[in-house]
Amino acid sequence: MPAPHLRNLIRTLTFVVLSMALAASAAAPMPQDVPDVAFGQAGLYRLEVALLVFYSGLLLVTPAFSGLVQGRLPIEISTRGAKFAGQADESVEAARVAIERLERITDELTEELGAADLRIKKIGERHG
């Protein structure tokens, strides 16, 4: 969790990006024919412009903030957010540990299944 002064900086940057999005939405010229993506509605067109500017701003602010303040750049930006090299290494290690755990469980289940098969055969021989 970021320090309080970093959280305030993040809030400020988000507010600036939101303000830019609202200003761009208000200042965007209305085309004669509203694009089909806005279903012919001027209000929806302006909302889409605002969303475009907002998310574009966040896309730029995220790596800029990380690079300038924390000294690291993201290796991936997706709908889940930015992923950094350390997080990628941690997720690879976590996946490796999970795979090893599942392999152990599979081996144990295989042994138990073999033992159960033997018991079933012995019961079948006694009663059959």
Side-chain angles (χ1 to χ4, degrees):
M1 182 175 239
H5 66 283
L6 290 180
R7 278 186 282 179
N8 289 335
L9 179 61
I10 292 169
R11 287 183 183 123
T12 302
L13 290 173
T14 304
F15 177 74
V16 167
V17 171
L18 180 62
S19 299
M20 288 172 39
L22 293 174
S25 173
M30 275 310 284
Q32 290 292 337
D33 294 326
V34 179
D36 289 338
V37 75
F39 301 111
Q41 298 178 12
L44 187 55
Y45 174 76
R46 293 201 180 277
L47 177 64
E48 289 170 348
V49 169
L51 288 174
L52 176 72
V53 172
F54 181 72
Y55 283 109
S56 298
L58 288 182
L59 190 65
L60 294 173
V61 167
T62 299
F65 175 78
S66 301
L68 294 174
V69 175
Q70 299 173 342
R72 60 188 182 140
L73 292 174
I75 58 170
E76 176 185 330
I77 299 176
S78 67
T79 55
R80 293 186 196 166
K83 184 182 281 187
F84 297 91
Q87 292 171 334
D89 294 341
E90 291 170 7
S91 63
V92 168
E93 180 62 24
R96 187 186 62 74
V97 168
I99 289 170
E100 288 174 357
R101 184 176 142 268
L102 290 172
E103 286 174 345
R104 280 194 309 273
I105 291 171
T106 302
D107 291 342
E108 291 171 8
L109 289 173
T110 302
E111 288 176 16
E112 290 175 13
L113 180 61
D117 268 350
L118 285 175
R119 281 186 290 225
I120 290 171
K121 285 181 184 175
K122 286 181 183 178
I123 291 172
E125 290 172 357
R126 278 190 244 158
H127 295 290

